C-alpha cells in the first residue's frame, strides 16, 4: 500500500474504533459475563476459578469441576483482556457512566471493553489491506466495502461487546491476509512460526475455529510448503508455532478440568446446554 492507503487506513481505524467504543454497552448477558468473570479472576486473584464472580454468568454460562466453577468460554479472550483490565487500576475513570447490566459500579470495566473495540477495528483494517494490496480494488471501492463490513455486519455489535467473536475474527482475518500475502512473496522462517501461532491462537479464542485451522492449515501445507525445497523445515516451524497455543490450551484443560482434551465448554451443565456434550454435538446439523 502507498502513503495514501496508509493515511486512509489510519483515518478509517480512528473513525471505526471511535464508533465502536461510543456504543459499548458494558456486560450485557451471560455470554460476555462468563468472559468477564474469568477476566476478573485472572486480574484480581491470578487464577481461573470464578465462584466469586458467578453472578456475571447469570448462573448458567459456567463450567463445573466438583465444587469449583470456571468460565465455559474459550479462555483466549479473557487472557488477552485481563492485562488491560489490570493496568486500568492506574488509569483515570471514564467521564461518562457505563450502564452495564453486570458490575455497573466498577469504573474499570470500560477498559476491558477496549479489547473487542480494537480487535474488531483492526479486523476491518486488515480487510481494507486485502482489498487494496491483494485484489487491487480502487480506493473508493475499498473504503466503501470496508465501511459496509464495519457497520453493515455483526462486526459492529461484536466490536462493542466482550464476546469471543472480535478476537476470534481478528485471528482468522489476519491468518487469511498473511496467506494471501505469502502466496506472492518469499516466506521467512519467522513467518512460518507466526502463521502457525496465529492459527493456534484462533482456537484459543473460539474452539470451533479448529475447523478453519484444519482447512486453512492443510491448504497452506499442500499448496505452498509442499512445493518448497525446504518443506520439511517449514513444516516443523509451522507446527512449532501451532503447538505453542495448543500446549497452553491442553495445560489449561488439565489444570482446571483434569485432562488435556477436556474443553471448558464440555464441562458446562449439559442438562441446560445439551449441545455441549461433545465436539460433534456442538455443531448445528445439518451443517
Amino acid at each position: 500500500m502507498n502513503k495514501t492507503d496508509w493515511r486512509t487506513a489510519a483515518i478509517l481505524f480512528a473513525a471505526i474504533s471511535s464508533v465502536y467504543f461510543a456504543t459499548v454497552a458494558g456486560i450485557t448477558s451471560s455470554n460476555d459475563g462468563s468472559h468477564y468473570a474469568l477476566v476478573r479472576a485472572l486480574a484480581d486473584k491470578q487464577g481461573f476459578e470464578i465462584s466469586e464472580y458467578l453472578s456475571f454468568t447469570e448462573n448458567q454460562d459456567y463450567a463445573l469441576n466438583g465444587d469449583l466453577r470456571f468460565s465455559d468460554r474459550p479462555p483466549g479472550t479473557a487472557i488477552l483482556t485481563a492485562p488491560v483490565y489490570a493496568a486500568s487500576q492506574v488509569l483515570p475513570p471514564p467521564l461518562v457512566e457505563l450502564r452495564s447490566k453486570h458490575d455497573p459500579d466498577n469504573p474499570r470495566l470500560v477498559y476491558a471493553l477496549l479489547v473487542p473495540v480494537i480487535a474488531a477495528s483492526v479486523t476491518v483494517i486488515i480487510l481494507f489491506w486485502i482489498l487494496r494490496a491483494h485484489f487491487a480494488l480502487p480506493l473508493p471501492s475499498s473504503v466503501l466495502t470496508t465501511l459496509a463490513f464495519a457497520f453493515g455486519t455483526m462486526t459492529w455489535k461484536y466490536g462493542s461487546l466482550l464476546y469471543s467473536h472480535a478476537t476470534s475474527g481478528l485471528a482468522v482475518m489476519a491468518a487469511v491476509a498473511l496467506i494471501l500475502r505469502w502466496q506472492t512473496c518469499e516466506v521467512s522462517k519467522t513467518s512460518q512460526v507466526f502463521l502457525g501461532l496465529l492459527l493456534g491462537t484462533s482456537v484459543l479464542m473460539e474452539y470451533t475455529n479448529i475447523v478453519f485451522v484444519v482447512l486453512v492449515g492443510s491448504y497452506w501445507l499442500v499448496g505452498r510448503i509442499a512445493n518448497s525445497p525446504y518443506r520439511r523445515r517449514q513444516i516443523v516451524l509451522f507446527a512449532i508455532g501451532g503447538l505453542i497455543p495448543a500446549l497452553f490450551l491442553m495445560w489449561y484443560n488439565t489444570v482446571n478440568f483434569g485432562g488435556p482434551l477436556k474443553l471448558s465448554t464440555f464441562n458446562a451443565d449439559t442438562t441446560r446446554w445439551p449441545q455441549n456434550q461433545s465436539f460433534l454435538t456442538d455443531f448445528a446439523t445439518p451443517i
Side-chain angles (χ1 to χ4, degrees), residues 7 43 67 71 82 93 100 103 116 127 135 139 144-145 161 174 182 188 195 226 243 265:
R7 191 160 46 243
D67 294 331
S71 172
S100 176
D103 210 16
L127 173 63
F135 292 107
L139 183 60
L144 183 60
T145 304
L161 294 170
W182 293 338
S188 66
L195 179 59
L243 278 174
T265 189

Side-chain angles (χ1 to χ4, degrees), residues 3 6 9-10 18 33 79 94 157 163 166 173 188 199 237 241 245 269 276:
K3 289 183 179 180
W6 285 111
S18 296
I79 291 171
K157 175 181 178 179
Y163 282 39
M173 187 73 86
S188 66
L199 289 174
L237 292 171
D269 182 357
N276 289 350

Side-chain angles (χ1 to χ4, degrees), residues 71-140:
S71 172
D72 66 346
R73 306 288 122 176
T77 300
I79 291 171
L80 190 64
T81 305
V84 179
Y85 178 84
S88 69
Q89 188 171 4
V90 298
L91 297 174
L95 298 176
V96 178
E97 180 182 353
L98 187 64
R99 296 183 179 180
S100 176
K101 181 179 181 181
H102 298 293
D103 210 16
D105 299 324
N106 182 3
R108 298 169 61 190
L109 167 59
V110 69
Y111 288 102
L113 294 168
L114 286 173
V115 171
V117 167
I118 294 173
S121 300
V122 173
T123 301
V124 173
I125 299 307
I126 292 174
L127 173 63
F128 174 75
W129 178 88
I130 291 174
L131 296 174
R132 288 292 290 154
H134 186 75
F135 292 107
L137 260 66
L139 183 60

